[in-house]
Amino acid sequence: LFEILGLALTCAAPENKPRYIKSCCGTLVVLFSRDACGSRTIGEGGWLIPLDAAKALWKKLATHDDAGGRLGGPEDEESPEVISAKTMRISEVLASLGLISIEYEENTDGSINRWLKINHELHKEYGEFLIADPSGGLGEMPEHFERFWNESFVEGYYEVMGTDSWKDMPPNGNLMYGVEKIVSHMLRAGMLEDSRTLLCNEEFLLERMLVLGPEAGARQHVQDCKDFCERVRYDPTVGSDEFYTRDTIFLAYERASMCLSEKIMAGRGGRGDEELCFEVGRAFQELGLSYSEEESDDCLRTAISYYEKAADYVRAASGDVEFVAATMFNIASIELKRNKFDKAKDRLLETLSIRSNYLADEDVRIVTTLRRLGDVLSEMDQKGEATKLYQEAIDLAKSDLQNNRLLVSNILHNKGLLHHEIGELNDAVDSFEESLQWRTMELGNNDPVLALTHYSIGNVLVAQGKQEEAIPCFEESIRLRKLQPPENPMVKADLLSAEGMLWNMKGDKAEALRCLEEVVHICEGLGLERDLRVAQIRHEIGELHFAQEEYKEAAESFNFTLQVKKETLEEGDAELYQAQYRYGCALGFVNPSRALDCLSEALNGLQSSLGEVHEEVALCIHEIAKIHERERNFIQAARWLKKEVEMLGAIHGKDHESLTIAHFDLGLAEECLGNFNKAIFHFDEVHRIKELTCERNHLDTADIEFKLAVMNEKLSNYDTAMSQLEDALRIRVQNLGYNNSIVAETINLIGKIHLSRGNYESAMQSFNEVLGLEFEFSDSDRVGVADTVFGKGCVSYCRGELDEAMKSFEESLYWMKMVLGENDPALAPIHHKMGNIHSDKGNTTEAIHCFDESIRLRKQKQQITTEDEADIQSLKGVLYRIKEDDNNALMCFQRSLSSLKAIFGRESDKVANLEHNIACIYVAKGEDENAMKMFEECLLIRRKILGSAHMDVASTLYDLAFVYIRLQNDYRNALKCLEESAHIRQKHLGKCDKVAMTLEKCGNTCKALGDHDGALNYYEETLALKRILHGDDHESVASTLHEMGDLMDEIGEFEQAMKCFDEALDIRQRNLGEDHPDVAATLYAKGFTYDQEGQFESALACFEESLKIRQKHYGEEHYTVGDTLDIMGCVYAKSGDSEKALCHLWDALASRKVTQDHLKVAATLQNIGNVHKKRREFDQAIECYDECLRVRTMKLGADHDTVGDAWIALGNMHTESDHIADATDCYEEAVRIKRLNYGGKYEDKIAPALYLFGMMLIKSSEWERGKQQLDDFIRIRQSVGKVYDEEYASALAFVGDAYAASGEKSKAVLNWTEALRIYKAFGLTEEHPSVRRVMRNLETGSSGANKPNAAKTWMERFSAGLGDENIGGAAQDGEHDETSREVGIGGEIRAGQRPNWMMRFSNALSEEVRR
């Protein structure tokens, strides 16, 4: 057919110019058929084209060059007449060939409009073929042909009309065509400025409104303005000049509005013309509809103003008709878009009020209004009311379900979105699935509209944690989207966006990013790079980066979105500040300072646009708090989170689920501040809300129970924590099954609490239960396994199984390093425990390395809390303690204690542990009163929070016993502590070395109390236990045998003592060698027993061998060498060899001065003085005693008990030298010191000094003062039941002398009689000087105490207790828990005094004290 038409045109062409005819046919189609430009029709048929307009175009074609030559005529110029004839013949030729026809239309004024009409679609297609296909006869057309032809037509049109003033143009068909289509031709010609001028030309707009009618004119005006914007966007000479188009459209619409309001209405009867009012109202509606499609708030407000004018015109003419209701509905939709919810609600209520007057309830328009009102209430957070409205709309629409399926589906979809938003996920799924059912029924299974519903169902399933079920929904959504026309790039962009979501769901973030970035690329290709839709895609890209912790990239994407919205949206728009909020969230990980500024600005904007109290405002506050938290500014974080809690409570009430996150984060902040009780309060609030809002036994409830248990475990509230963990475990097993990491975590913490409470068997069972669970392990699960193995190591350590504990710690460290690397802070506790083991084993270097590593790792934490700082200080204290720097250790421990008390309060396990460590340092520093106070406080806390049977209680009791002894010589309370400690340790540890050590200390204490049977029982039990643990040939067995030997020696069982020493010596020599220091210690003890038996040569032989070993190992300047030399000097003195005695004692003095052991120096000085005293070298003796007193006073202070003993010894020497006044002064000072130390509590320790002081006063004839001292002595002795010894009888006799001197003979007789009775009860005969003297007093009735011979008799008797029977040695031997022996040569230890083992006890502190 195309060939036939081509032949016909060729034959018909004038002057053999077929190309010209074909060109005219093609341009007719291109200019007047494309884009429905010739849309005006008469009756049935095709497009109508003004004949004069077509002729104007052909005339231009005849006179313009195109591609090197004119389309018509020869090269020379043709006359206008020729050209006019040609253009007239063109229409005739085309009409004669049947391609077009000419139509005529008579105007009201009698003029005729002539129109061309293309007869058939085929003719239109042929014209397109001529232009597009080079084979059509025209050849290749230049690219700008259409633009050139449109420009030619515009020029020709104005020539035909004869003027460019629209008000002067004749009212014919050409004018009708021009007002409708001339702007379109201008735009296609690229005449942007001309078109812009015309769109804003009032004359043109008025003619357009008058010719086409207000509604049609307004509609065409709106369409031309839209086409103008599109042309401007793609015109390279203008670009996307937003202000150029914005100003143009604003002016064009404003002029149109003025024409409608002022010109049209004024010229045609005003508002009284009902039909015209309707038409103008619809015209304004067209303008409003156009503006409502824009995003800026200015445009939306302008749209509202046009809609309001439309409603006013119609309402003025006809009242509240449907047009007015529809307009109010449109205004409400715009207000909803502007987030002006109150205004939207008012407009919809007005709409509903109008429609309810003339429509049935089930009418679609009523249903639609209810639906939109539900949308508004949903945005106003009136969720319950919105749900009711949606349901009411659904019920009404279902009354005509056959016709309303899609409407019902749409309302159900909105209802599903609402349920999703408020967390009613099951209801959301139900709504979406019913919506899908009706849509499928109406549209079938393959309509792209269904894609959105499948997508929404997938989102809800994701929120329910059903990822796998969600993926098919997203896949179906994508399949349906692919059914849309593929040539539309925006359809492809939507599809890629959905695919990005799916890839994200499947965990392939890279592929998701690729899809979204391709969407951006498509949009940029369309010139939409600054479009809001592209900004939203950029936002999604930012979210993907944010989820992958790529915060810098996320911030860049969010910032792009923010900048686009700043360009597009008006200031004050909430959406703008929401974008700024998200940018601040990402920036918080890149530049916290800038992020806080950004979020503060967003917060102010949100408060201004949404109100001071709004959920979006609360979200912004929450993010500000989180940045402060990451910056470790927990005080500020807590302050902001409190604001969030208060705001959410005001919005939703205190029981709303939205408060759970805020309460939880506030609890974490308080935890980091060390406010654990406040933290528990907020976690409790989370738990309370979860119980109200979650299903029973929900996993969320278990999670918060677990967190509460962690807090209570930190506060040592073990019973509460255990109860919470049991609940959490039950719920987790019920929901997740048994074999999984969550259950393992719960059981592991249960094991830790059992461990803290000292239930080692239960703890080990829990840890083994965790390791027995079977599930696929992730890296985090391997960390959990390592933690469980660590727990087992702690159990072994508490049991004293150090090697087993070290194996567990090393295994735990291996797994931790494999997963976390070597620098993770989680490794710190393992190194700490390993350091403890090395310290217990005496591996100081290894221990220091472990503690240093633990400190280094703790400092690696990104957020170091107050508790972490306290732990670091505590570890530093441990290091200083190992290095024997007690002052710095104490300072570190005290800092740590202060922090921990502030965090946990006083009653905490951690606080108790630190108090124990501090007490041990006080012990080492000799500050026993401080140590006692700290141990007692620690014991009180541990009993309260751990129970009285806990191992930590046993440790404190054990160390407290030492302080009782050293501070107060209170062996009875010390024994109670040790026995309770032993009982606890036996219960928990069974047969082990720690139990044996404690039992042995019980024996030592019994020995000190004089309870030799008790001591022997404990030693025997200890010995039996050690033989079981280590066999008969072990050093620890030898150590206990050594202690038993000391006990036997003390009670005079020298044979048994010697057996014990011999067996101990045999074991030590066999296991340690002949010259080991422990062998020397046993030889020393064996020599002491020989000394006690009076076998001085054997004793000296043992001491000599011991001395050689000690000199070999330690040299001459070791304290044990000084001890051995000292006791050898004492033995030589006893054996009568005073020269060797003095030689050894002076060597001992020299050794002890080198070691700067001042108290032992004093003891040796006293022993030297004793030897001089025995040699009757009184001046030298007094000199030694004076020096002894000076040294003790210098070291211990003037009021120390042993200084009192030194005064007594010096007084005895002055008594022996007959220096009565000096002796009296010495005894008086001794009494003062004894009273100061023991007055009111241990008065029996004052009695000896009172006795000596009283005797000396009687000798000086100070009868009354002497009687007072002796009366006090007698009273004390009577109070303790010691009334049957020679000292007591002598005191009675001298009190009788005092009474006699004062003339009270009856009282004197009573005292002498009682003294005589006691003497005789002891078996003293009448020849004994004391008996003879008392009998003589009774006979004469007077005392002879003031006579010289009586004084000598008294002196002889008084000195009887200072003779050779008390010769001993003042030495100390402190190795291997041996009993220390402080002995002296007459005076250092009084008759009947037990050996003091306290110093040896000091050197054998428990392992806890050492740490």
Side-chain angles (χ1 to χ4, degrees):
L1 289 176
F2 281 6
E3 289 178 3
I4 292 171
L5 288 169
L7 289 171
L9 287 173
T10 301
C11 295
E15 300 180 9
N16 296 319
K17 292 292 185 179
R19 187 168 183 270
Y20 180 44
I21 297 297
K22 291 180 180 180
S23 177
C24 289
C25 180
T27 56
L28 189 70
V29 170
V30 169
L31 295 184
F32 301 113
S33 297
R34 281 191 178 182
D35 301 327
C37 281
S39 59
R40 184 172 176 78
T41 62
I42 298 178
E44 300 297 328
W47 298 278
L48 294 179
I49 305 150
L51 180 59
D52 292 338
K55 286 183 177 181
L57 170 64
W58 292 332
K59 183 178 180 181
K60 287 292 181 182
L61 292 178
T63 58
H64 283 73
D65 288 342
D66 180 66
R70 295 185 183 87
L71 291 175
E75 293 297 325
D76 56 322
E77 287 291 335
E78 295 179 331
S79 65
E81 293 78 10
V82 172
I83 293 173
S84 179
K86 282 184 177 181
T87 56
M88 176 57 72
R89 286 199 299 272
I90 293 298
S91 58
E92 293 173 356
V93 170
L94 293 176
S96 66
L97 293 174
L99 271 72
I100 64 172
S101 60
I102 300 176
E103 305 284 344
Y104 298 91
E105 180 184 22
E106 185 175 356
N107 294 318
T108 56
D109 61 356
S111 61
I112 301 297
N113 294 326
R114 296 178 297 175
W115 306 92
L116 295 181
K117 182 176 75 170
I118 298 177
N119 286 330
H120 197 277
E121 185 71 24
L122 175 66
H123 300 148
K124 176 175 178 269
E125 292 175 5
Y126 179 64
E128 292 277 2
F129 163 73
L130 289 174
I131 299 300
D133 194 333
S135 66
L138 296 180
E140 293 187 7
M141 300 299 292
E143 292 182 1
H144 63 283
F145 72 92
E146 184 175 357
R147 183 169 182 163
F148 167 72
W149 289 345
N150 276 288
E151 185 178 357
S152 297
F153 170 74
V154 172
E155 292 175 4
Y157 178 82
Y158 278 114
E159 288 179 8
V160 168
M161 300 305 292
T163 179
D164 58 0
S165 173
W166 288 88
K167 67 179 181 178
D168 297 330
M169 289 184 180
N172 55 28
N174 289 332
L175 175 63
M176 186 180 295
Y177 183 82
V179 295
E180 183 179 3
K181 297 300 177 185
I182 194 66
V183 176
S184 176
H185 286 293
M186 287 180 173
L187 291 173
R188 291 162 69 189
M191 302 167 67
L192 296 180
E193 194 58 43
D194 293 305
S195 63
R196 180 177 185 271
T197 301
L198 199 56
L199 285 171
C200 300
N201 187 309
E202 287 187 38
E203 292 181 0
F204 170 75
L205 289 172
L206 181 59
E207 289 301 317
R208 171 173 269 185
M209 300 291 182
L210 291 172
V211 172
L212 300 179
E215 182 180 2
R219 186 180 299 114
Q220 185 62 50
H221 189 62
V222 167
Q223 184 60 50
D224 286 344
C225 287
K226 288 182 178 178
D227 293 342
F228 173 80
C229 292
E230 288 296 312
R231 292 287 175 175
V232 168
R233 179 175 293 175
Y234 294 111
D235 191 295
T237 63
V238 179
S240 56
D241 190 332
E242 183 177 349
F243 294 102
Y244 183 76
T245 56
R246 182 188 297 175
D247 292 346
T248 299
I249 300 305
F250 179 77
L251 184 59
Y253 277 42
E254 185 180 22
R255 297 285 167 80
S257 174
M258 290 172 59
C259 286
L260 287 169
S261 300
E262 299 175 12
K263 306 290 184 180
I264 302 298
M265 293 303 299
R268 293 183 59 184
R271 290 178 178 259
D273 189 333
E274 183 177 338
E275 184 179 350
L276 179 61
C277 284
F278 259 108
E279 217 176 326
V280 172
R282 285 193 291 270
F284 273 114
Q285 189 180 50
E286 290 292 335
L287 296 176
L289 180 62
S290 173
Y291 260 121
S292 68
E293 295 171 354
E294 301 300 317
E295 298 291 336
S296 74
D297 196 60
D298 280 343
C299 290
L300 295 177
R301 282 189 279 110
T302 305
I304 291 172
S305 71
Y306 287 145
Y307 276 134
E308 287 174 339
K309 287 181 180 180
D312 287 345
Y313 278 109
V314 174
R315 184 181 273 132
S318 305
D320 288 332
V321 294
E322 173 57 28
F323 180 90
V324 176
T327 305
M328 292 299 107
F329 185 91
N330 291 340
I331 293 174
S333 298
I334 296 174
E335 297 289 15
L336 179 60
K337 193 174 183 179
R338 296 178 65 221
N339 295 324
K340 305 297 183 182
F341 305 125
D342 289 330
K343 292 182 178 181
K345 179 182 175 183
D346 292 341
R347 296 291 188 176
L348 287 170
L349 290 174
E350 186 177 355
T351 304
L352 201 58
S353 174
I354 295 170
R355 286 177 169 170
S356 62
N357 290 328
Y358 56 86
L359 297 176
D361 288 345
E362 61 273 11
D363 190 281
V364 170
R365 286 166 288 182
I366 294 286
V367 172
T368 304
T369 309
L370 289 171
R371 170 196 173 187
R372 185 53 54 85
L373 186 55
D375 295 342
V376 172
L377 292 178
S378 176
E379 293 293 339
M380 295 175 74
D381 286 333
Q382 298 177 21
K383 310 295 186 184
E385 292 300 317
T387 305
K388 291 178 182 178
L389 283 174
Y390 284 144
Q391 191 58 51
E392 183 180 353
I394 291 167
D395 293 340
L396 291 172
K398 281 184 176 180
S399 63
D400 186 13
L401 190 56
Q402 190 67 27
N403 295 316
N404 293 338
R405 285 173 181 160
L406 285 180
L407 178 58
V408 171
S409 170
N410 292 337
I411 302 172
L412 282 165
H413 188 90
N414 284 12
K415 187 167 178 275
L417 292 174
L418 176 59
H419 283 307
H420 187 182
E421 183 181 351
I422 62 180
E424 297 172 351
L425 302 183
N426 292 330
D427 291 337
V429 171
D430 292 342
S431 295
F432 286 135
E433 288 179 346
E434 188 179 353
S435 173
L436 184 63
Q437 172 192 344
W438 298 122
R439 284 185 177 177
T440 304
M441 191 177 298
E442 185 72 19
L443 304 173
N445 290 316
N446 295 310
D447 194 288
V449 173
L450 303 176
L452 181 59
T453 311
H454 284 289
Y455 189 86
S456 299
I457 294 172
N459 280 336
V460 179
L461 292 173
V462 169
Q464 289 179 318
K466 301 175 181 179
Q467 307 282 350
E468 296 299 322
E469 295 179 37
I471 289 175
C473 296
F474 291 123
E475 289 174 338
E476 180 65 7
S477 176
I478 291 170
R479 183 190 73 80
L480 292 167
R481 290 175 191 269
K482 288 181 178 179
L483 297 177
Q484 297 179 84
E487 64 273 5
N488 187 337
M490 288 310 297
V491 172
K492 183 180 180 183
D494 289 342
L495 179 60
L496 284 166
S497 179
E499 287 180 338
M501 166 67 82
L502 182 59
W503 286 118
N504 186 30
M505 286 289 307
K506 291 181 176 180
D508 193 337
K509 307 290 184 186
E511 191 63 25
L513 277 171
R514 184 195 65 76
C515 291
L516 294 180
E517 285 168 353
E518 190 172 345
V519 172
V520 172
H521 180 71
I522 291 171
C523 293
E524 288 174 346
L526 296 173
L528 302 174
E529 62 272 9
R530 308 298 288 183
D531 188 84
L532 279 173
R533 289 166 294 180
V534 178
Q536 184 59 35
I537 297 298
R538 290 275 196 179
H539 179 88
E540 296 298 330
I541 291 172
E543 293 292 356
L544 281 171
H545 284 303
F546 194 90
Q548 296 183 95
E549 299 182 359
E550 297 167 349
Y551 300 117
K552 182 179 179 181
E553 293 81 357
E556 290 172 356
S557 295
F558 290 143
N559 189 35
F560 178 89
T561 302
L562 175 62
Q563 297 311 316
V564 171
K565 290 192 174 183
K566 280 184 176 180
E567 296 166 6
T568 309
L569 304 178
E570 296 297 324
E571 186 176 352
D573 193 304
E575 194 174 337
L576 175 64
Y577 301 116
Q578 288 163 350
Q580 191 169 24
Y581 154 74
R582 207 68 191 101
Y583 173 50
C585 292
L587 200 60
F589 293 91
V590 181
N591 189 330
S593 178
R594 279 184 58 201
L596 287 173
D597 292 339
C598 181
L599 287 170
S600 295
E601 189 176 340
L603 178 63
N604 292 332
L606 289 169
Q607 287 175 326
S608 175
S609 58
L610 302 177
E612 292 289 330
V613 178
H614 193 277
E615 198 155 6
E616 298 275 356
V617 175
L619 281 174
C620 194
I621 287 173
H622 184 88
E623 196 58 37
I624 291 172
K626 295 300 287 183
I627 292 176
H628 281 302
E629 181 183 296
R630 288 195 294 272
E631 291 298 295
R632 297 186 64 239
N633 190 349
F634 300 117
I635 294 175
Q636 284 297 323
R639 185 173 69 85
W640 284 100
L641 287 167
K642 286 174 186 175
K643 288 184 178 180
E644 183 190 9
V645 168
E646 291 170 1
M647 185 172 295
L648 291 175
I651 296 170
H652 302 295
K654 293 185 178 180
D655 298 336
H656 195 268
E657 191 173 9
S658 63
L659 273 80
T660 55
I661 295 175
H663 272 302
F664 189 84
D665 286 341
L666 182 51
L668 293 178
E670 295 290 7
E671 178 185 357
C672 292
L673 286 170
N675 302 327
F676 288 100
N677 288 314
K678 289 183 179 180
I680 286 177
F681 168 78
H682 291 291
F683 294 140
D684 270 331
E685 280 296 286
V686 177
H687 183 255
R688 182 185 64 79
I689 296 170
K690 289 289 184 184
E691 285 193 327
L692 291 173
T693 57
C694 294
E695 298 175 2
R696 184 175 177 82
N697 297 330
H698 194 277
L699 273 174
D700 286 351
T701 304
D703 293 343
I704 195 61
E705 288 265 23
F706 184 85
K707 184 61 182 175
L708 280 166
V710 171
M711 287 291 95
N712 279 305
E713 188 264 345
K714 282 190 173 184
L715 289 173
S716 305
N717 300 330
Y718 297 126
D719 291 339
T720 305
M722 185 63 77
S723 174
Q724 289 162 341
L725 284 173
E726 288 169 352
D727 286 344
L729 180 62
R730 175 182 54 78
I731 295 171
R732 286 175 166 180
V733 170
Q734 180 179 324
N735 284 272
L736 303 173
Y738 186 64
N739 291 295
N740 59 79
S741 60
I742 303 298
V743 169
E745 172 191 51
T746 315
I747 299 173
N748 190 52
L749 185 54
I750 289 173
K752 289 181 178 179
I753 291 178
H754 281 309
L755 174 63
S756 296
R757 297 171 79 175
N759 302 330
Y760 301 129
E761 290 300 324
S762 299
M764 190 62 81
Q765 286 176 7
S766 294
F767 294 139
N768 286 329
E769 184 178 356
V770 172
L771 296 176
L773 295 178
E774 297 178 358
F775 56 92
E776 187 175 347
F777 285 85
S778 65
D779 281 347
S780 62
D781 295 330
R782 289 187 176 90
V783 172
V785 170
D787 190 39
T788 305
V789 174
F790 175 79
K792 289 186 67 176
C794 291
V795 174
S796 298
Y797 179 75
C798 291
R799 287 173 166 174
E801 301 164 355
L802 301 186
D803 292 336
E804 192 65 32
M806 184 61 84
K807 288 179 183 178
S808 295
F809 293 145
E810 287 173 345
E811 182 182 354
S812 176
L813 187 63
Y814 168 79
W815 286 109
M816 284 281 196
K817 282 185 176 180
M818 189 170 69
V819 177
L820 304 176
E822 296 189 349
N823 295 309
D824 196 279
L827 278 63
I830 306 175
H831 285 287
H832 187 168
K833 288 295 183 182
M834 293 172 72
N836 285 345
I837 293 175
H838 284 304
S839 178
D840 291 350
K841 289 185 171 184
N843 304 329
T844 303
T845 303
E846 292 85 348
I848 290 174
H849 171 74
C850 288
F851 291 134
D852 278 334
E853 184 67 4
S854 182
I855 292 172
R856 183 188 71 81
L857 291 169
R858 288 175 194 273
K859 290 181 178 179
Q860 299 296 314
K861 289 185 71 173
Q862 290 183 349
Q863 296 182 1
I864 299 179
T865 64
T866 306
E867 184 179 357
D868 295 327
E869 295 279 11
D871 289 342
I872 290 170
Q873 286 296 322
S874 180
L875 275 170
K876 286 181 177 179
V878 171
L879 278 173
Y880 281 125
R881 190 76 184 94
I882 292 174
K883 297 172 182 177
E884 297 183 356
D885 186 347
D886 290 335
N887 290 328
N888 277 320
L890 182 61
M891 182 176 63
C892 290
F893 284 146
Q894 286 174 336
R895 287 176 183 167
S896 179
L897 180 63
S898 176
S899 297
L900 290 178
K901 279 186 175 180
I903 297 171
F904 298 109
R906 180 175 170 274
E907 295 177 356
S908 164
D909 195 13
K910 274 196 165 187
V911 169
N913 291 340
L914 263 179
E915 288 183 340
H916 189 106
N917 288 341
I918 291 171
C920 293
I921 293 181
Y922 282 137
V923 168
K925 289 168 65 69
E927 299 178 19
D928 294 330
E929 289 185 1
N930 289 331
M932 172 77 77
K933 180 180 177 182
M934 199 63 74
F935 274 136
E936 288 177 342
E937 187 173 342
C938 170
L939 183 62
L940 188 66
I941 296 171
R942 284 181 165 175
R943 284 191 192 278
K944 183 170 183 179
I945 64 176
L946 302 175
S948 293
H950 195 276
M951 280 291 295
D952 287 351
V953 172
S955 298
T956 307
L957 286 166
Y958 182 92
D959 295 331
L960 181 59
F962 165 76
V963 182
Y964 273 129
I965 293 169
R966 195 167 81 172
L967 179 63
Q968 300 173 346
N969 284 332
D970 188 352
Y971 292 98
R972 298 187 189 283
N973 277 322
L975 182 60
K976 288 179 183 178
C977 291
L978 289 168
E979 287 178 334
E980 187 177 355
S981 177
H983 175 73
I984 296 170
R985 287 175 169 175
Q986 282 176 316
K987 175 183 175 182
H988 288 287
L989 304 179
K991 297 176 179 179
C992 71
D993 286 323
K994 187 170 281 190
V995 171
M997 178 183 70
T998 313
L999 290 170
E1000 194 165 72
K1001 294 301 179 287
C1002 290
N1004 293 342
T1005 309
C1006 286
K1007 182 171 70 172
L1009 284 169
D1011 181 5
H1012 300 126
D1013 291 337
L1016 184 59
N1017 289 336
Y1018 278 119
Y1019 287 146
E1020 287 175 346
E1021 188 177 355
T1022 302
L1023 185 62
L1025 179 55
K1026 287 184 175 181
R1027 290 187 192 276
I1028 292 170
L1029 292 171
H1030 305 294
D1032 293 334
D1033 194 31
H1034 192 268
E1035 163 56 23
S1036 65
V1037 173
S1039 176
T1040 304
L1041 286 167
H1042 189 113
E1043 292 286 356
M1044 290 180 71
D1046 282 340
L1047 176 64
M1048 294 297 107
D1049 176 89
E1050 185 172 320
I1051 62 177
E1053 297 288 344
F1054 301 127
E1055 184 177 351
Q1056 291 298 321
M1058 199 59 73
K1059 287 181 180 179
C1060 292
F1061 290 138
D1062 284 339
E1063 187 177 354
L1065 186 62
D1066 181 58
I1067 293 170
R1068 286 180 165 175
Q1069 287 177 330
R1070 188 164 53 252
N1071 286 279
L1072 304 176
E1074 296 285 341
D1075 58 353
H1076 193 274
D1078 289 353
V1079 171
T1082 306
L1083 285 167
Y1084 181 97
K1086 190 176 177 182
F1088 195 92
T1089 302
Y1090 279 130
D1091 175 38
Q1092 294 288 86
E1093 290 183 297
Q1095 300 182 39
F1096 300 133
E1097 290 185 8
S1098 298
L1100 287 169
C1102 290
F1103 290 141
E1104 190 68 42
E1105 192 173 350
S1106 176
L1107 181 64
K1108 288 179 182 177
I1109 296 170
R1110 287 174 167 175
Q1111 286 174 328
K1112 176 181 177 181
H1113 275 273
Y1114 303 124
E1116 297 290 340
E1117 297 177 353
H1118 194 262
Y1119 76 92
T1120 57
V1121 172
D1123 294 345
T1124 312
L1125 287 167
D1126 187 90
I1127 197 170
M1128 289 179 72
C1130 294
V1131 174
Y1132 276 121
K1134 289 180 183 180
S1135 64
D1137 192 341
S1138 59
E1139 291 297 331
K1140 285 187 177 180
L1142 286 173
C1143 180
H1144 282 80
L1145 286 171
W1146 281 109
D1147 287 345
L1149 184 64
S1151 176
R1152 287 179 166 181
K1153 283 186 176 180
V1154 170
T1155 59
Q1156 294 188 342
D1157 192 335
H1158 300 288
L1159 295 180
K1160 287 187 177 181
V1161 167
T1164 303
L1165 283 168
Q1166 186 160 336
N1167 285 337
I1168 293 172
N1170 291 341
V1171 174
H1172 284 299
K1173 172 184 172 184
K1174 192 170 182 65
R1175 289 160 61 107
R1176 310 296 292 176
E1177 297 170 352
F1178 296 144
D1179 291 340
Q1180 292 91 327
I1182 288 173
E1183 185 178 348
C1184 289
Y1185 289 148
D1186 269 335
E1187 182 64 13
C1188 171
L1189 177 61
R1190 186 192 66 78
V1191 172
R1192 284 185 178 175
T1193 303
M1194 174 191 69
K1195 184 64 178 174
L1196 302 174
D1199 297 332
H1200 197 274
D1201 181 47
T1202 56
V1203 173
D1205 294 338
W1207 280 110
I1208 290 174
L1210 182 59
N1212 291 345
M1213 193 63 250
H1214 281 301
T1215 301
E1216 191 78 11
S1217 302
D1218 207 21
H1219 301 157
I1220 304 303
D1222 291 336
T1224 302
D1225 292 341
C1226 290
Y1227 294 142
E1228 184 174 14
E1229 181 64 12
V1231 168
R1232 184 194 66 79
I1233 294 171
K1234 295 295 182 179
R1235 284 189 186 279
L1236 185 65
N1237 284 280
Y1238 302 112
K1241 193 172 182 180
Y1242 301 102
E1243 289 188 322
D1244 58 318
K1245 298 182 181 295
I1246 307 173
L1250 287 169
Y1251 177 80
L1252 294 171
F1253 184 36
M1255 291 291 194
M1256 195 54 60
L1257 288 171
I1258 293 295
K1259 178 178 180 352
S1260 303
S1261 299
E1262 295 187 37
W1263 304 106
E1264 187 57 34
R1265 284 185 66 201
K1267 184 174 76 67
Q1268 288 175 358
Q1269 304 303 317
L1270 292 174
D1271 279 343
D1272 213 0
F1273 168 81
I1274 292 167
R1275 177 188 58 78
I1276 293 170
R1277 281 295 188 88
Q1278 288 174 344
S1279 68
V1280 297
K1282 295 182 179 180
V1283 295
Y1284 291 104
D1285 62 17
E1286 191 173 353
E1287 278 187 350
Y1288 183 76
S1290 298
L1292 286 170
F1294 281 99
V1295 169
D1297 293 350
Y1299 277 126
S1302 63
E1304 300 179 66
K1305 293 185 178 180
S1306 61
K1307 290 182 179 180
V1309 169
L1310 287 174
N1311 280 275
W1312 289 330
T1313 303
E1314 181 62 15
L1316 183 60
R1317 185 184 69 79
I1318 295 172
Y1319 283 143
K1320 289 185 177 181
F1322 270 90
L1324 299 183
T1325 64
E1326 293 182 358
E1327 282 72 30
H1328 192 279
S1330 298
V1331 176
R1332 191 167 60 248
R1333 178 176 175 280
V1334 172
M1335 289 177 67
R1336 183 173 61 251
N1337 289 344
L1338 285 169
E1339 289 174 0
T1340 61
S1342 62
S1343 170
N1346 56 343
K1347 299 178 181 179
N1349 61 337
K1352 187 173 188 330
T1353 303
W1354 175 84
M1355 195 68 197
E1356 290 173 353
R1357 183 172 56 77
F1358 179 75
S1359 300
L1362 307 177
D1364 295 344
E1365 68 272 18
N1366 288 326
I1367 292 178
Q1372 183 182 22
D1373 197 13
E1375 303 93 340
H1376 302 286
D1377 301 326
E1378 295 174 14
T1379 300
S1380 301
R1381 300 162 184 263
E1382 287 289 344
V1383 296
I1385 308 174
E1388 175 63 11
I1389 294 182
R1390 295 178 299 278
Q1393 184 176 349
R1394 287 184 293 274
N1396 187 345
W1397 59 277
M1398 183 178 66
M1399 295 304 292
R1400 179 207 44 76
F1401 188 90
S1402 171
N1403 292 326
L1405 290 176
S1406 69
E1407 298 303 326
E1408 291 88 350
V1409 174
R1410 290 187 182 180
R1411 285 198 299 276

